[in-house]
Amino acid sequence: MGLESIYTQLIMEHNRSSHNRRALKNPDISERGYNPNCGDDIVLEVEIEDNIIKDAAYSGVGCAISQASTSMMIDLVKGKSIDEALKLVDIFLSMIKKDITAEEELEVLEDSIIFQNISNMPARVKCAVLAWHSLREGLKHV
Amino acid sequence: MGLESIYTQLIMEHNRSSHNRRALKNPDISERGYNPNCGDDIVLEVEIEDNIIKDAAYSGVGCAISQASTSMMIDLVKGKSIDEALKLVDIFLSMIKKDITAEEELEVLEDSIIFQNISNMPARVKCAVLAWHSLREGLKHV
Amino acid sequence: MVKLDIEGIIDDFPTLNQDVNGHRLAYLDSAATTQRPIQVLDAMAKYNKISNGNPHRGAYQLSIRATEEYDFSRQRVKEFINAREVKEIIFTRNTTESLNLIANSYGMEFVKEGDEIVLSISEHHSNILPWQRVARQKGAVLKYMYLDDKGRITDEEMDRVIGSKTKIVAIAHMSNVLGTIHPIREIVERARRVGATVVVDGAQAVPHMKVDVRELDADFYVFSGHKMLGPMGIGVLYGKRKLLEDMPPYLLGGDMIEYVTEQDATFAPIPHKFEAGTQNVEGAVGLGAAIEYIEDIGLDSIRDHEMKLMEYTLDRLLDIPYVGIQGPKDLKSKGGIISFTIDGVHPHDVSTILDAYGVAIRSGHHCAQPLMKYMGLPATSRLSFYLYNTKEDVDQFIRAIKNVRKWLGYGA
Amino acid sequence: MVKLDIEGIIDDFPTLNQDVNGHRLAYLDSAATTQRPIQVLDAMAKYNKISNGNPHRGAYQLSIRATEEYDFSRQRVKEFINAREVKEIIFTRNTTESLNLIANSYGMEFVKEGDEIVLSISEHHSNILPWQRVARQKGAVLKYMYLDDKGRITDEEMDRVIGSKTKIVAIAHMSNVLGTIHPIREIVERARRVGATVVVDGAQAVPHMKVDVRELDADFYVFSGHKMLGPMGIGVLYGKRKLLEDMPPYLLGGDMIEYVTEQDATFAPIPHKFEAGTQNVEGAVGLGAAIEYIEDIGLDSIRDHEMKLMEYTLDRLLDIPYVGIQGPKDLKSKGGIISFTIDGVHPHDVSTILDAYGVAIRSGHHCAQPLMKYMGLPATSRLSFYLYNTKEDVDQFIRAIKNVRKWLGYGA
Ligand SMILES: Cc1ncc(COP(=O)(O)O)c(C=O)c1O
Ligand SMILES: Cc1ncc(COP(=O)(O)O)c(C=O)c1O
């Protein structure tokens, strides 16, 4: 896989954008995600109201892939119900594992579909999935 | 080295002879010699009078080489002074290590000179030296 | 899959195609270590020439390949012994290290004062000494199951020793001295009843018979690569996931961490928690290739082949009046190992004399001194088979045996 | 001895003569693991084809040869680091295991409550975690020597931290992150004054510079085969005889015993006391061949070669405005390692992008999280040299570096 398919315009924009990079006032969830091999270390915060993800944001450090993946995920799940969000996490992780490959099924992931081929870069898979795992962990404990 | 040079008439005789295989009444030294790799396990007993090795004997189990070497050593050191015996032990061990090779110097070992080439059978060296090491250890503590 | 034919495979083993002391080599010491087929050597050479890197840490090709090869070998081991999950497979250095790891991490953590640790009297030192240390440090009691006159552990003996205080039963699947296959299922059943944990030393079993850890239901199961056509320096520890997760790590450092601060650290999940420092990737690759070779032949064929050789050998050996045989003679309950003695000849001399005829066997206590003591023998000679042995090896062995006593001055 | 010429030796390294991702491979991660020359692979293959046996136990040719090869490698290691006696050389699995052995056998035995264990803040996790465990279990205190702004430990810092309560000082000879060569002699001097024991982690030093353990007067000195052209799965622990003799054994079982009874055991003398289970003979043979290769080139030539490459690299790297370099820039006090960062780009992205240009470097915390924290960086990228690297590698690296920021959307 060439660098083009991973260091894309879209990923770079999310990597450098700061609209999801902030702290929430009263997060219901604050979940640390850490990848000991490369040092990606984020804290994902989520505000929940009536079972709906009202707001989400992140802080911490990480590579372009983990940062972009986190930011895209936040854009995706905001406004969704907990169940919907968990469903999306499942679909994303299945996409990464190549368990789901059909375009129609992946559409719901919106921009995040761009990570479909990250498994061709095995050393970076963990960066792409970090935030998604953290969200799942966090939602478990609501 | 062929088996002929090691399983010789002389060694076999000593191996099967029991004249040194007995227990002493009042040993001054009783030294266990053990080779964990092959299980040779002997107890060497020595009676000392006026600095002279008056009697010596051994018990225990071991292979033909360790048994013969023990028996020949006992024949050799009986009647010798402690210092002479220690000297003989040194010469024997030096012969095994090939530090001494000159026939004239080795003559004092009498029959035991037959172990000169045991170093060509590295797995058996420990069997040949077991009793000699035990004697040295034992004499140290007189 | 086309099965390799077990006849003729000796050509795959360079070490076996040589003369020693002017005779063809009859290698009959596979219980100590096995020879490697070219397929295993080639797999390791290939790794070393194409894919070598430090795994788990790099984002570049060589490191990625090394990681993939390492993971692939772990997967292979998992399937070979039918573990539930790959993370239940820990790579160690050898059986000895695997057993030390279990004794230290599981034993030291969970054994309490007054608990009993049960071993069999036929254990290898590697499955005795670590438990002696646990017993001493924890104030636990070490108990032994003894063998009957056929070299077996009877039901009564299990019932006598395994009881309500038993915390751990540690036992070899196959004895390296007598070849006895111990009744692991029966032992596990009794252990379950009293809530004890079962540690199985599979060093001699895994190379020679189909082992299914799920079917055995052992809690831990360990073995060595070098006894199953693989390289030295690589071994396996299988443990049930829950147990492994509850155990503290053993070796510390390198890759097995999550966070490290000046004064404290948290650890990676299993299997990494137990694999500190740079992994032996080429060792794992070699072990993977060895498993592939074994599976190509098939463990049933291997066992079958060895049992035929055993029958052939025992027929001849039992005919020699001055040869004594220790342990079971019933082939169903034993592997391809025979311990024997020759009247009037110390086992060590037997080895040396056989070596002069090109026959490689082992003599000594076989790292099982308590068993020797129990049998009342200072040492035995031991012959052991593997898939590459042939009747020719046996014939050469028998001929040499018949010469032994002559060298020690006996008539025959 | 005719010295091999360091130019052109790259032909000895099959892994290095390949393309990755459409580029020639520039392997700049030897601090993680090194590539093996064919001479080392051949020596191991030869062992595996001619001499393989379980050492120390057999009276037959293969076992005798294996024993001889193993002993010969031990002898070679002894001479390579100028130890007093062969029995001071223990073969382990790697540096990590060597350090765990020391911490467990020496540390747990001799460190008492209130004692202080001194490390440097730049230690590898393998030289931190085992001491954290000792400190926790024994109620000892873990103290750190910090680095000055040039990445060095000053005399004042040593004097501040090493004091009358110091029982152990454990420190890397060369930092695997910054390349700093720590002042071992000065540390040993201070340790002697207060009666402390010095443990030196030589994983990064031994492959790259002449190490004389007698001259350094370190009490323990450890390193890994795979970082010095040897295979994975073999490492070394040097210890002063007296210390080794006084330590309890670590791994138990197999060959390291004298008498074993049902309830107790006594142990073989050193080095065997510390080498339980079947030894990794082929690993030792590979390490021996690696030492021979290194000696044929000469450690002075290797250091010289690496320093020339360092100068060449630093000249170019310091010119790039968005590149930051951590640690000393003074070549005399460092080895062939450069840690760096690129403004606005996470180190992990640097590695991936460089890999696409065929350049293999490493990014992350380099198993030194406390140092990262101390430097205030989440991670760095690291380049490291060995004797097979060339200016061509450096040029390729510099070209790739200049492309990195472009991929992340920066002008340059
Ligand atoms: C300074 C230092 N110490 C210890 C280690 C650990 O070595 P190994 O992984 O071979 O045990 C390394 C390398 O990873 C190192 O660079
Ligand atoms: C039954 C048994 N357990 C343990 C071991 C020790 O294996 P290793 O030396 O590979 O650690 C052996 C072989 O020596 C064995 O036969």
Side-chain angles (χ1 to χ4, degrees):
Chain A
M1 181 159 89
L3 290 177
E4 306 75 29
S5 60
I6 176 92
Y7 293 96
T8 61
Q9 197 65 27
L10 185 67
I11 290 182
M12 286 315 110
E13 269 163 25
H14 270 282
N15 174 38
R16 302 174 75 177
S17 140
S18 55
H19 73 284
N20 291 324
R21 252 191 165 291
R22 59 205 164 81
L24 299 191
K25 280 231 184 67
N26 297 304
D28 298 286
I29 296 171
S30 177
E31 184 76 27
R32 185 172 179 185
Y34 180 57
N35 175 347
N37 277 323
C38 59
D40 288 341
D41 198 349
I42 60 161
V43 175
L44 182 71
E45 293 183 334
V46 185
E47 251 179 60
I48 310 238
E49 221 180 87
D50 296 335
N51 251 341
I52 301 292
I53 294 177
K54 238 195 92 199
D55 201 1
Y58 77 101
S59 55
V61 294
C63 63
I65 294 169
S66 76
Q67 302 276 301
S69 181
T70 308
S71 177
M72 287 185 204
M73 179 190 79
I74 289 173
D75 284 354
L76 181 68
V77 299
K78 253 198 285 190
K80 301 279 196 310
S81 73
I82 292 182
D83 283 350
E84 280 174 308
L86 284 171
K87 189 81 208 290
L88 289 167
V89 170
D90 277 349
I91 295 175
F92 183 84
L93 296 175
S94 299
M95 171 183 82
I96 301 288
K97 280 194 239 153
K98 300 238 181 264
D99 288 346
I100 302 183
T101 52
E103 199 76 19
E104 320 81 78
E105 288 178 68
L106 299 177
E107 256 171 17
V108 290
L109 295 177
E110 299 177 14
D111 284 357
S112 300
I113 204 170
I114 200 154
F115 292 106
Q116 186 168 15
N117 289 316
I118 194 81
S119 61
N120 299 331
M121 263 186 187
R124 309 307 298 278
V125 167
K126 284 192 177 159
C127 313
V129 299
L130 184 65
W132 302 77
H133 276 298
S134 303
L135 180 61
R136 185 153 75 178
E137 277 309 297
L139 290 178
K140 264 192 205 161
H141 305 121
V142 184
Chain B
M1 183 159 90
L3 291 176
E4 305 74 28
S5 59
I6 175 92
Y7 293 97
T8 60
Q9 198 66 26
L10 184 67
I11 289 181
M12 286 315 108
E13 269 163 26
H14 270 280
N15 174 38
R16 301 174 75 178
S17 140
S18 54
H19 72 285
N20 291 324
R21 249 190 166 294
R22 56 203 167 85
L24 298 191
K25 279 230 184 69
N26 297 305
D28 299 285
I29 295 172
S30 176
E31 183 76 26
R32 185 172 180 183
Y34 181 56
N35 176 347
N37 275 324
C38 60
D40 288 341
D41 197 351
I42 60 161
V43 176
L44 182 71
E45 294 183 336
V46 185
E47 251 179 62
I48 310 237
E49 221 179 271
D50 296 334
N51 251 344
I52 301 290
I53 294 178
K54 237 195 91 199
D55 200 1
Y58 77 101
S59 56
V61 294
C63 63
I65 294 170
S66 76
Q67 302 276 302
S69 181
T70 308
S71 178
M72 288 184 203
M73 179 189 79
I74 289 173
D75 284 354
L76 180 68
V77 300
K78 255 198 283 192
K80 301 277 196 311
S81 74
I82 292 183
D83 283 350
E84 280 173 305
L86 284 171
K87 189 83 208 291
L88 289 167
V89 170
D90 278 348
I91 294 174
F92 183 83
L93 296 175
S94 299
M95 171 183 81
I96 300 289
K97 282 196 239 153
K98 300 234 182 267
D99 286 347
I100 303 183
T101 51
E103 200 76 18
E104 321 80 78
E105 288 180 66
L106 299 177
E107 257 169 15
V108 290
L109 296 177
E110 300 179 12
D111 284 356
S112 300
I113 204 171
I114 199 154
F115 292 106
Q116 186 167 15
N117 288 317
I118 194 80
S119 60
N120 297 332
M121 260 185 192
R124 309 306 298 277
V125 168
K126 285 194 175 156
C127 313
V129 299
L130 184 64
W132 302 76
H133 276 298
S134 303
L135 180 61
R136 182 152 75 178
E137 276 309 297
L139 291 178
K140 263 192 205 161
H141 305 122
V142 185
Chain C
M1 189 187 358
V2 183
K3 297 268 175 196
L4 287 181
D5 189 359
I6 206 159
E7 304 302 325
I9 62 167
I10 195 170
D11 293 338
D12 290 342
F13 294 82
T15 17
L16 298 178
N17 290 298
Q18 58 179 324
D19 286 354
V20 294
N21 298 322
H23 296 268
R24 79 181 270 286
L25 170 63
Y27 184 73
L28 296 170
D29 194 23
S30 291
T33 199
T34 56
Q35 301 302 329
R36 272 73 106 181
I38 36 176
Q39 287 83 344
V40 167
L41 304 183
D42 286 351
M44 291 172 73
K46 190 170 159 209
Y47 167 79
N48 272 315
K49 287 179 183 170
I50 299 181
S51 313
N52 176 52
N54 201 319
H56 294 302
R57 302 193 188 113
Y60 56 81
Q61 289 308 309
L62 289 183
S63 175
I64 292 167
R65 281 184 218 157
T67 310
E68 282 169 356
E69 298 245 25
Y70 192 66
D71 291 348
F72 182 65
S73 289
R74 200 194 299 276
Q75 175 70 30
R76 230 175 202 159
V77 171
K78 175 211 161 236
E79 284 164 17
F80 187 58
I81 61 170
N82 196 29
R84 265 174 212 83
E85 305 177 61
V86 279
K87 56 173 76 124
E88 294 178 326
I89 306 298
I90 317 288
F91 282 122
T92 63
R93 178 218 293 226
N94 52 26
T95 301
T96 300
E97 193 194 28
S98 297
L99 291 168
N100 276 269
L101 196 166
I102 298 168
N104 274 279
S105 286
Y106 187 83
M108 292 292 183
E109 186 79 11
F110 297 107
V111 172
K112 305 281 171 248
E113 196 175 331
D115 284 348
E116 294 179 355
I117 300 170
V118 172
L119 311 178
S120 94
I121 192 68
S122 61
E123 292 313 297
H124 188 281
H125 294 159
S126 297
N127 201 23
I128 298 178
L129 276 77
W131 302 114
Q132 289 182 344
R133 181 152 66 183
V134 173
R136 197 158 40 243
Q137 286 199 18
K138 294 291 157 178
V141 178
L142 209 58
K143 287 191 151 186
Y144 287 85
M145 294 186 284
Y146 299 97
L147 308 184
D148 69 6
D149 55 3
K150 297 202 170 94
R152 295 174 315 193
I153 300 174
T154 60
D155 286 359
E156 296 72 47
E157 183 63 7
M158 292 179 222
D159 290 335
R160 185 183 70 80
V161 185
I162 302 174
S164 60
K165 288 189 177 168
T166 307
K167 182 79 189 180
I168 286 175
V169 183
I171 183 156
H173 198 167
M174 186 190 291
S175 157
N176 65 310
V177 182
L178 305 175
T180 316
I181 298 172
H182 289 310
I184 303 300
R185 281 288 321 143
E186 285 73 9
I187 288 170
V188 169
E189 253 168 50
R190 283 164 176 81
R192 288 288 162 269
R193 257 180 254 150
V194 299
T197 299
V198 179
V199 179
V200 181
D201 170 356
Q204 295 299 340
V206 164
H208 303 278
M209 55 194 265
K210 183 71 205 153
V211 169
D212 180 327
V213 292
R214 265 194 268 183
E215 197 182 298
L216 287 174
D217 195 29
D219 297 298
F220 294 101
Y221 197 100
V222 303
F223 52 100
S224 293
H226 71 96
K227 289 188 200 282
M228 52 186 290
L229 309 180
M232 289 161 162
I234 189 91
V236 173
L237 187 174
Y238 155 83
K240 285 186 184 162
R241 175 187 175 155
K242 175 78 177 65
L243 298 175
L244 293 174
E245 284 176 348
D246 289 350
M247 285 155 63
Y250 181 54
L251 289 177
L252 303 176
D255 239 13
M256 49 70 76
I257 53 88
E258 197 179 44
Y259 299 100
V260 179
T261 62
E262 289 189 18
Q263 301 296 337
D264 217 339
T266 58
F267 305 112
I270 61 167
H272 309 295
K273 182 169 82 176
F274 292 107
E275 295 182 356
T278 298
Q279 298 82 354
N280 183 356
V281 185
E282 61 201 273
V285 167
L287 177 57
I291 290 176
E292 186 176 348
Y293 191 91
I294 289 173
E295 289 185 329
D296 279 351
I297 307 280
L299 276 161
D300 291 342
S301 311
I302 293 174
R303 170 114 181 114
D304 201 49
H305 176 76
E306 290 176 8
M307 287 308 100
K308 281 191 192 128
L309 290 177
M310 283 292 282
E311 209 179 332
Y312 186 79
T313 313
L314 284 173
D315 273 358
R316 278 149 191 78
L317 218 44
L318 288 167
D319 263 2
I320 307 176
Y322 46 80
V323 170
I325 293 181
Q326 286 79 45
K329 279 154 212 107
D330 159 31
L331 290 186
K332 271 211 211 63
S333 63
K334 77 178 283 180
I337 294 175
I338 303 175
S339 260
F340 65 95
T341 45
I342 295 189
D343 293 348
V345 187
H346 190 277
H348 213 183
D349 292 309
V350 175
S351 286
T352 296
I353 295 171
L354 261 56
D355 179 48
Y357 292 95
V359 178
I361 61 148
R362 180 144 312 225
S363 293
H365 52 61
H366 313 292
C367 296
Q369 289 186 15
L371 175 62
M372 293 294 139
K373 179 114 195 271
Y374 177 69
M375 299 195 300
L377 294 169
T380 70
S381 295
R382 179 189 71 185
L383 144 170
S384 55
F385 290 119
Y386 207 14
L387 74 182
Y388 36 61
N389 288 117
T390 59
K391 283 190 181 171
E392 211 180 336
D393 294 330
V394 178
D395 292 338
Q396 190 174 337
F397 166 75
I398 296 286
R399 271 198 309 275
I401 286 290
K402 290 184 172 159
N403 276 312
V404 166
R405 281 170 52 97
K406 205 175 62 192
W407 285 102
L408 281 112
Y410 296 94
Chain D
M1 186 186 4
V2 183
K3 296 269 175 196
L4 287 180
D5 190 357
I6 205 159
E7 305 301 324
I9 61 167
I10 194 169
D11 292 339
D12 291 343
F13 293 83
T15 18
L16 299 179
N17 289 299
Q18 59 178 322
D19 285 355
V20 294
N21 299 322
H23 294 267
R24 80 182 270 283
L25 171 63
Y27 185 72
L28 296 170
D29 194 22
S30 291
T33 199
T34 55
Q35 301 302 328
R36 270 72 106 183
I38 36 177
Q39 287 83 343
V40 168
L41 304 183
D42 286 351
M44 291 172 73
K46 191 171 160 209
Y47 167 79
N48 271 315
K49 288 177 182 170
I50 300 180
S51 313
N52 177 52
N54 201 321
H56 294 303
R57 303 192 187 112
Y60 56 82
Q61 288 309 310
L62 289 184
S63 176
I64 293 167
R65 283 184 215 155
T67 310
E68 282 169 357
E69 297 247 25
Y70 193 66
D71 291 347
F72 182 64
S73 289
R74 201 194 299 276
Q75 175 70 28
R76 228 175 204 160
V77 171
K78 176 212 160 238
E79 284 164 17
F80 187 58
I81 62 170
N82 196 28
R84 262 173 214 83
E85 305 176 63
V86 279
K87 58 172 75 126
E88 294 178 326
I89 306 297
I90 317 288
F91 282 123
T92 63
R93 180 218 295 227
N94 52 27
T95 301
T96 301
E97 194 193 27
S98 298
L99 291 168
N100 274 270
L101 196 166
I102 299 167
N104 274 279
S105 287
Y106 188 83
M108 291 293 183
E109 186 78 11
F110 296 106
V111 172
K112 304 283 171 248
E113 197 176 331
D115 283 350
E116 294 178 354
I117 300 170
V118 172
L119 311 179
S120 94
I121 192 67
S122 61
E123 291 313 298
H124 188 281
H125 294 158
S126 297
N127 202 23
I128 298 178
L129 275 78
W131 301 113
Q132 288 182 344
R133 183 153 63 183
V134 173
R136 198 160 36 243
Q137 286 197 19
K138 293 291 158 181
V141 178
L142 208 59
K143 286 191 152 186
Y144 286 86
M145 296 187 283
Y146 298 97
L147 309 183
D148 70 4
D149 55 3
K150 296 200 170 96
R152 297 174 313 195
I153 300 173
T154 60
D155 286 359
E156 296 72 46
E157 184 64 6
M158 292 178 222
D159 290 335
R160 183 182 72 81
V161 185
I162 301 173
S164 60
K165 291 189 177 166
T166 307
K167 183 79 192 180
I168 286 174
V169 184
I171 183 157
H173 199 166
M174 187 190 291
S175 157
N176 65 309
V177 182
L178 306 175
T180 316
I181 299 171
H182 290 309
I184 304 300
R185 282 288 321 143
E186 285 73 8
I187 289 170
V188 169
E189 255 169 48
R190 284 165 176 80
R192 288 289 162 268
R193 256 180 256 151
V194 299
T197 299
V198 179
V199 179
V200 181
D201 170 357
Q204 296 297 339
V206 163
H208 302 279
M209 56 195 265
K210 184 70 204 154
V211 168
D212 180 327
V213 292
R214 267 194 266 182
E215 196 182 299
L216 286 174
D217 194 30
D219 298 297
F220 295 100
Y221 196 102
V222 302
F223 52 100
S224 293
H226 72 95
K227 291 187 200 280
M228 51 185 291
L229 309 180
M232 289 160 163
I234 189 88
V236 172
L237 187 173
Y238 155 83
K240 286 187 184 163
R241 175 186 176 155
K242 176 79 177 66
L243 297 175
L244 293 175
E245 284 176 347
D246 288 350
M247 284 156 63
Y250 180 55
L251 289 177
L252 303 177
D255 239 12
M256 47 72 74
I257 54 87
E258 197 178 42
Y259 299 102
V260 179
T261 63
E262 290 189 16
Q263 302 296 336
D264 218 341
T266 57
F267 305 112
I270 62 167
H272 309 293
K273 182 169 81 175
F274 293 107
E275 295 183 356
T278 299
Q279 299 81 353
N280 184 356
V281 185
E282 61 199 273
V285 167
L287 177 57
I291 290 175
E292 186 177 348
Y293 192 91
I294 289 172
E295 288 184 329
D296 279 352
I297 306 283
L299 275 161
D300 291 343
S301 309
I302 292 174
R303 170 115 182 114
D304 201 47
H305 177 76
E306 291 176 8
M307 288 307 100
K308 280 190 193 130
L309 289 178
M310 283 293 281
E311 209 179 333
Y312 186 78
T313 312
L314 284 172
D315 274 357
R316 276 149 192 78
L317 217 45
L318 289 167
D319 262 2
I320 308 177
Y322 48 79
V323 170
I325 293 180
Q326 285 79 44
K329 279 153 213 108
D330 159 30
L331 292 186
K332 271 213 212 64
S333 62
K334 77 178 283 178
I337 294 175
I338 303 175
S339 261
F340 65 94
T341 44
I342 295 190
D343 293 348
V345 186
H346 189 277
H348 212 184
D349 293 309
V350 175
S351 285
T352 296
I353 296 170
L354 259 58
D355 178 49
Y357 291 94
V359 178
I361 62 149
R362 181 144 309 229
S363 294
H365 52 61
H366 312 293
C367 295
Q369 288 185 16
L371 176 62
M372 292 296 139
K373 179 115 197 269
Y374 177 71
M375 297 196 301
L377 294 169
T380 70
S381 295
R382 179 189 72 185
L383 144 170
S384 56
F385 290 120
Y386 207 13
L387 71 180
Y388 36 60
N389 289 116
T390 59
K391 283 191 180 169
E392 211 180 335
D393 294 330
V394 178
D395 292 338
Q396 190 175 338
F397 164 75
I398 296 285
R399 271 198 309 275
I401 285 290
K402 289 184 173 161
N403 275 311
V404 167
R405 281 169 53 96
K406 204 174 64 190
W407 285 102
L408 281 113
Y410 296 94

